[in-house]
Amino acid sequence: YWNMMESSAVTGNDYLIQYRNISSKLKKRFLRKPNVAEASEEFGQLARELSDGEAWAQAGLCCVAVAKCEQTLVNPTTEVSAITQAARYFLKAEIMNHYLHCPSFNEHLMTAISCFQHAIQLYIDHKKPALAASLSVELGQALRSLGRPSEALTHLRIAADLHATSPFHHLTCLGYIASCKIELGDLHGALMMFTQMATIIEQTAEQPLTGAYKDILARCEISSLLILLTLQPLPQHTKPPHAQLLEKYSWNTSDLQKFNVPYDDAELVVLLQSLVLTCQGRDTQALATLSQHLTRLLGPEHLHLLHTLVTEMNRT
C-alpha cells in the first residue's frame, strides 16, 4: 500500500504526511491507549477529501485503514462498509487507468478484488448471504466491464450459489453467467445455462408467466434457438428440450396463443420460423435478408448470437 501511495503524485496537500500523522496516533504509548475511534474518523475524512480530488487509490487506502480501526473496535457493520468502499475506490482507480490508457500492472484491480472478497466473507460469517451475493455480482460485473469474463465467472457462480434459495435472484446470476460464456465463445456452456434457467422458471414460477419471469424465459428461448442453429447438433446428440424447441419453430403458424411463446410479437415469431427453415436449407442469401429484418427486433446479446450464426453459416 505504501508503494502505491508514494507512486501516485497528488497535487495540493501532502496526503502521505496526513496518513502517517493519523497512523502515529495508533501507536501504543506509555500509560496511554491509542484513540482508535478518533483515528478511524480522521482516516474517513481523509478518504472523502481524496475522493473529492479523484485520488481513488489513496482514498481506498484510507478506507482500508478505517476498516482495520473498526475491526479493532469490534464494529463489524462499519468494518464491512469501509472495506466495501475501499474496494470500489480501488476499482475506480483501475477503471480510470483503462480509460486514460495508462500503463497498469493490475495492482489496483487485485487490491479491489481482495477487498471485495474480504467484505463478502464478512457478510457470510455474519449470516448475510444476500448481501454477500450482491457484492459478488458487483465484482463479477465489474470484471466483465474490464474485459475479464473468465475471471467474472468465478464470482458470479459464488453469487448464484448464495442466491440458491431465491429463484429470481438465482436466475439473474445464471443469466450473467450465460452472458460471460457467450463473451468467451462458449456456446455449449451458454446453452446449458439457458436450459437450466428455463427449467427453473417452469418449476418455480406461477403460471401464466408475467413480468420479469416472462422476459427471462423469452431471452432463454430466443438465445437457445440461435445457439442451436449455430451449433447444428446431430439429432442423436440433441437433448429432448432442444429438439422440442427446434420442432416448435418449424411449425407453420403465427397464432401466438397456439404457438405458446413467452413474448408478444407475431412478426418475431414468423421471422424466427423463417430463420429455422433457412438454416435447415443452408440458404445463406435468404439468411442475410432475414438478419436485416431481425436486427430491429432483437437486443444486443441476441444480435451478437445472430451475427455468430450468420458468420458460421457463411463459413461452412
Side-chain angles (χ1 to χ4, degrees):
Y1 287 131
W2 282 114
N3 291 336
M4 189 188 313
M5 190 87 169
E6 290 170 336
S7 65
S8 300
V10 181
T11 57
N13 295 330
D14 190 341
Y15 293 114
L16 183 56
I17 293 175
Q18 291 185 55
Y19 185 97
R20 286 174 170 161
N21 287 340
I22 300 170
S23 296
S24 68
K25 296 181 180 181
L26 296 172
K27 294 179 180 178
K28 293 182 180 179
R29 304 182 190 279
F30 183 64
L31 297 178
R32 183 178 169 186
K33 290 183 178 181
N35 192 334
V36 180
E38 180 182 330
S40 179
E41 177 59 36
E42 291 183 10
F43 276 129
Q45 179 58 38
L46 183 55
R48 288 187 287 274
E49 292 176 15
L50 288 161
S51 172
D52 290 341
E54 297 187 359
W56 308 119
Q58 292 87 343
L61 176 64
C62 291
C63 286
V64 170
V66 171
K68 290 180 178 177
C69 289
E70 296 302 324
Q71 184 183 48
T72 301
L73 296 167
V74 196
N75 292 331
T77 301
T78 314
E79 178 191 356
V80 73
S81 176
I83 202 68
T84 300
Q85 188 59 63
R88 289 168 179 160
Y89 281 147
F90 284 119
L91 195 56
K92 281 187 177 182
E94 183 69 22
I95 292 170
M96 186 57 68
N97 276 351
H98 276 253
Y99 178 74
L100 297 174
H101 302 288
C102 294
S104 171
F105 298 99
N106 297 324
E107 67 272 17
H108 298 325
L109 179 60
M110 294 303 102
T111 308
I113 292 172
S114 178
C115 290
F116 269 117
Q117 289 176 326
H118 183 62
I120 289 164
Q121 190 58 53
L122 284 173
Y123 278 131
I124 291 173
D125 292 344
H126 289 90
K127 312 297 183 200
K128 296 180 178 179
L131 293 174
S134 68
L135 286 186
S136 293
V137 169
E138 184 178 343
L139 176 55
Q141 292 295 77
L143 288 167
R144 279 184 65 200
S145 71
L146 290 167
R148 295 169 172 264
S150 181
E151 295 172 53
L153 276 173
T154 300
H155 304 286
L156 293 170
R157 286 192 184 106
I158 291 171
D161 291 341
L162 289 167
H163 274 316
T165 58
S166 174
F168 180 76
H169 291 102
H170 185 59
L171 283 167
T172 301
C173 294
L174 293 180
Y176 291 144
I177 292 172
S179 294
C180 285
K181 289 184 177 292
I182 290 171
E183 289 166 21
L184 290 166
D186 180 9
L187 295 185
H188 287 280
L191 179 61
M192 185 176 69
M193 285 296 106
F194 289 126
T195 304
Q196 183 179 347
M197 290 165 67
T199 301
I200 291 172
I201 291 174
E202 289 169 6
Q203 293 176 349
T204 62
E206 292 184 7
Q207 300 292 336
L209 290 178
T210 56
Y213 282 112
K214 189 174 181 180
D215 292 339
I216 293 171
L217 188 59
R219 176 198 174 190
C220 291
E221 183 162 310
I222 296 171
S223 296
S224 296
L225 181 66
L226 292 171
I227 291 173
L228 285 167
L229 293 175
T230 303
L231 297 177
Q232 292 287 315
L234 295 171
Q236 60 268 33
H237 296 152
T238 305
K239 295 182 178 180
H242 302 154
Q244 290 167 12
L245 181 61
L246 289 169
E247 183 183 356
K248 173 181 174 179
Y249 278 88
S250 299
W251 297 343
N252 185 22
T253 177
S254 59
D255 188 328
L256 292 181
Q257 290 184 337
K258 291 181 180 178
F259 200 62
N260 189 28
V261 293
Y263 51 89
D264 303 315
D265 192 332
E267 183 182 4
L268 182 56
V269 168
V270 172
L271 288 172
L272 289 175
Q273 287 174 320
S274 300
L275 186 66
V276 171
L277 293 173
T278 298
C279 290
Q280 289 172 345
R282 310 198 71 78
D283 187 342
T284 54
Q285 189 171 5
L287 179 60
T289 303
L290 272 173
S291 298
Q292 293 176 355
H293 291 293
L294 279 165
T295 296
R296 60 186 175 80
L297 300 177
L298 300 177
E301 186 169 88
H302 289 149
L303 285 175
H304 173 76
L305 289 172
L306 178 61
H307 175 72
T308 302
L309 167 60
V310 172
T311 302
E312 189 64 27
M313 285 286 291
N314 286 324
R315 182 182 297 140
T316 55

